[in-house]
Amino acid sequence: MPEFVGAVDQGTTSTRFMIFDHSGNEVARHQLEHRQILPRSGWVEHDPVEIWERTNTVIQNAIRAGGLSASDLHAIGITNQRETTVVWDPRTGLPYYNAIVWQDTRTDAIAAALERDGRGEVIRRKAGLPPATYFSGGKIKWLLENVPGLREAAERGHALFGNTDAWVLWNLTGGPNGGVHATDVTNASRTMLMDLETLDWDDELLEIFGVPRAMLPRIHPSAHPEAFGQARTSRPLRAAIPIAGVLGDQQAATVGQVCFSPGEAKNTYGTGNFLVLNTGEELVRSRSGLLTTVAYQFAGSPAVYALEGSIAVTGAAVQWLRDQLKIIKEAADSERLAAAVEDNGGMYFVPAFSGLFAPYWRSDARGAIVGLSRYHTGEHLARATLEAICYQSRDVVDAMEQDSGVHLDVLRVDGGVTANDLCMQIQADVLGVPVSRPVVAETTALGAAYAAGLATGFWRDTEELRSHWQESKRWEPRWSEERRAEGYAGWRKAVERSLDWAPVS
């Protein structure tokens, strides 16, 4: 009997394949970055063909690195960068345009128009989302209006839409030769096109964005033994392995952090930050700038909902220090540089490169560094960058407490930035609550594997998954209340300075 479960983790900057054993321990992985295509200010694109080729490579190399064969895999899960929009021709398997990434702001005029004429309230009520550049619906509308011939192709059934989960799934299961065109409730809940109560595409929302229903994938539970088909027997796996779990990346991390009870929350630190609070089967409407979304749904069970605070730029700000400013050579250098000073010296950095997401939802915001003097150095900027990650999370935690009435006793964290001990200590200091990192910090891929394994009987139930969770490290807050309040007041003042820079037409 196969003893492992695999997971494709298709992220914003890279794609990886990870293999886990029955105890949830990592057995093997391989990871490759893909290009960030920046054709104009505010535009962010990926090449879908490059992403699919990277997916092929990382699957083959991870299996090889583990000394395994494809037949050793019981099932496969897929997790993905949500909202990143791909439209392709099912006859050829070729995209009509580059993938428009979730960070892209070209649809700001579309979002602003929806807000002005009142349709934004319909979207909030049905989809649980504000009209914003973040989500897929506006991106599909832009493609249909700007790619020559695309609308006609879509009307004829010659154009398929998907977030990157659907693109990878369709290719894994055969592509033009019978590929499965499907998604799960978590990815569908990020489009502005799905009704959160019916868990289906909504005709009124489709009409608002002018999206033909024929373009859309079929929506299924996040874990299902049959709905997502099997990997084709050609590359990359050369074996008919069930694809049994699909989850958007932050929902996958919620499952990987075993946040299965109402009130449990996790924060993932990646390109952006994403804090998710499980609200159970209750659909909680946010009054504080958060998103109402689907946390997960397992086959045969009701959907579980969540409140989410999405932050556009956190780890990407560290990449900016490395790639654009070149004051560090590797992301890990940010910790050493920031540790060289005791505090930010009064400097604050608001990395609003693509506007501000939760809880502000200001697409007119742009990056700002404030409080500068001749005293400041690259060390202060590095520290201000780490603090920006933590202060943005504080904004979301405060909003979450206002909406839910839940006061966090501890924050569970995961993602690449959690390897930065100084950043996690600052997070505990800024929040005033302990921060806890699990043994398996990359819980996004683990959550996708859990979903696939639950659907196919590899794991018995969620209680068995809970038994696998172990804490690796905990950071206790050290700042005084006075310092915490003073620092946060400075941050809020800096946020005000970042607003009203990019006019929205």
Side-chain angles (χ1 to χ4, degrees):
M1 178 179 176
E3 298 180 356
F4 307 99
V5 174
V8 175
D9 184 354
Q10 201 299 292
T12 307
T13 59
S14 66
T15 304
R16 63 185 162 185
F17 190 70
M18 298 183 69
I19 301 171
F20 301 93
D21 65 17
H22 199 273
S23 296
N25 296 316
E26 179 185 335
V27 173
R29 79 160 79 183
H30 192 247
Q31 182 169 348
L32 289 172
E33 291 189 357
H34 54 263
R35 289 176 298 144
Q36 305 298 305
I37 302 168
L38 309 170
R40 298 187 194 175
S41 176
W43 290 29
V44 188
E45 300 175 358
H46 294 155
D47 179 353
V49 174
E50 181 186 18
I51 285 175
W52 170 235
E53 289 300 324
R54 294 288 193 268
T55 303
N56 271 290
T57 302
V58 297
I59 289 175
Q60 293 169 342
N61 287 352
I63 291 173
R64 189 179 302 117
L68 306 174
S69 65
S71 60
D72 291 315
L73 299 179
H74 183 87
I76 293 171
I78 297 172
T79 184
N80 60 292
Q81 51 168 325
R82 306 166 304 172
E83 302 96 18
T84 293
T85 299
V86 187
V87 176
W88 68 96
D89 188 333
R91 299 165 299 177
T92 64
L94 295 176
Y96 284 96
Y97 191 85
N98 280 337
I100 302 181
V101 179
W102 58 273
Q103 299 162 312
D104 190 285
T105 60
R106 77 186 67 187
T107 59
D108 55 357
I110 294 172
L114 294 171
E115 197 70 278
R116 281 196 305 269
D117 65 18
R119 289 178 292 174
E121 287 308 309
V122 177
I123 297 168
R124 284 186 178 87
R125 175 170 51 84
K126 290 194 169 186
L129 309 173
T133 60
Y134 183 17
F135 308 109
S136 310
K139 296 174 173 56
I140 306 172
K141 179 178 174 64
W142 187 92
L143 288 166
L144 289 169
E145 292 176 350
N146 289 276
V147 176
L150 179 55
R151 179 167 291 282
E152 292 76 11
E155 297 287 356
R156 293 196 304 270
H158 295 161
L160 301 182
F161 152 76
N163 295 334
T164 57
D165 66 303
W167 168 248
V168 169
L169 174 69
W170 186 79
N171 279 289
L172 265 179
T173 53
N177 300 311
V180 175
H181 186 216
T183 191
D184 87 302
V185 289
T186 69
N187 276 289
S189 74
R190 315 299 294 193
T191 60
M192 299 193 287
L193 302 176
M194 187 190 84
D195 187 309
L196 283 176
E197 295 183 3
T198 66
L199 303 180
D200 197 4
W201 305 120
D202 181 83
D203 287 334
E204 185 177 12
L205 296 176
L206 295 183
E207 184 178 354
I208 285 174
F209 289 95
V211 175
R213 184 178 281 266
M215 295 181 70
L216 302 176
R218 182 170 294 181
I219 303 172
H220 296 293
S222 313
H224 197 287
E226 299 173 350
F228 300 112
Q230 296 182 329
R232 58 185 176 179
T233 54
S234 58
R235 72 171 191 146
L237 284 156
R238 308 186 192 283
I241 311 300
I243 315 295
V246 175
L247 285 156
D249 52 9
Q250 303 315 315
Q251 287 93 337
T254 303
V255 172
Q257 285 275 37
V258 296
C259 293
F260 296 127
S261 297
E264 293 182 330
K266 68 86 201 176
N267 198 19
T268 296
Y269 297 72
T271 303
N273 269 28
F274 304 89
L275 204 156
V276 177
L277 174 73
N278 183 325
T279 63
E281 296 175 20
E282 180 184 3
L283 202 161
V284 177
R285 305 286 182 180
S286 176
R287 303 175 303 280
S288 306
L290 302 178
L291 309 177
T292 303
T293 194
V294 180
Y296 57 85
Q297 183 186 25
F298 299 146
S301 299
V304 172
Y305 295 96
L307 285 172
E308 178 179 329
S310 303
I311 302 165
V313 176
T314 55
V318 177
Q319 292 177 324
W320 181 71
L321 298 182
R322 181 193 67 187
D323 299 338
Q324 270 76 30
L325 294 193
K326 302 187 186 303
I327 67 171
I328 56 175
K329 291 184 178 180
E330 298 179 359
D333 294 339
S334 62
E335 181 174 9
R336 173 189 54 78
L337 204 62
V341 291
E342 293 184 359
D343 55 37
N344 63 17
M347 173 200 287
Y348 290 86
F349 172 29
V350 183
F353 299 145
S354 53
L356 288 171
F357 286 4
Y360 303 101
W361 297 108
R362 293 288 296 264
S363 61
D364 61 320
R366 285 297 179 268
I369 301 173
V370 302
L372 283 171
S373 71
R374 284 286 301 272
Y375 164 73
H376 289 107
T377 64
E379 287 88 348
H380 290 103
L381 179 57
R383 190 171 187 101
T385 301
L386 299 187
E387 290 188 358
I389 294 172
C390 302
Y391 280 126
Q392 289 184 98
S393 295
R394 164 76 185 269
D395 286 336
V396 170
V397 168
D398 285 359
M400 204 160 274
E401 290 185 356
Q402 292 172 23
D403 276 339
S404 68
V406 174
H407 177 74
L408 293 183
D409 295 322
V410 62
L411 181 65
R412 289 188 176 185
V413 299
D414 55 74
V417 178
T418 65
N420 188 315
D421 285 347
L422 176 59
C423 188
M424 293 300 98
Q425 181 59 58
I426 294 171
Q427 186 68 87
D429 293 335
V430 164
L431 290 177
V433 300
V435 168
S436 173
R437 183 180 67 200
V439 169
V440 180
E442 300 294 353
T443 54
T444 304
L446 180 61
Y450 278 169
L454 283 172
T456 54
F458 187 79
W459 286 292
R460 185 177 61 254
D461 52 30
T462 56
E463 288 306 309
E464 182 180 4
L465 301 184
R466 280 190 186 278
S467 70
H468 297 156
W469 192 93
Q470 297 179 53
E471 183 176 82
S472 167
K473 187 166 183 176
R474 178 176 288 235
W475 292 266
E476 298 288 343
R478 297 175 181 172
W479 287 1
S480 66
E481 286 295 337
E482 181 181 9
R483 181 177 179 184
R484 185 173 301 117
E486 181 182 351
Y488 191 52
W491 165 256
R492 294 301 297 265
K493 187 176 180 180
V495 168
E496 289 295 323
R497 301 294 190 272
S498 75
L499 303 179
D500 198 27
W501 284 101
V504 177
S505 56

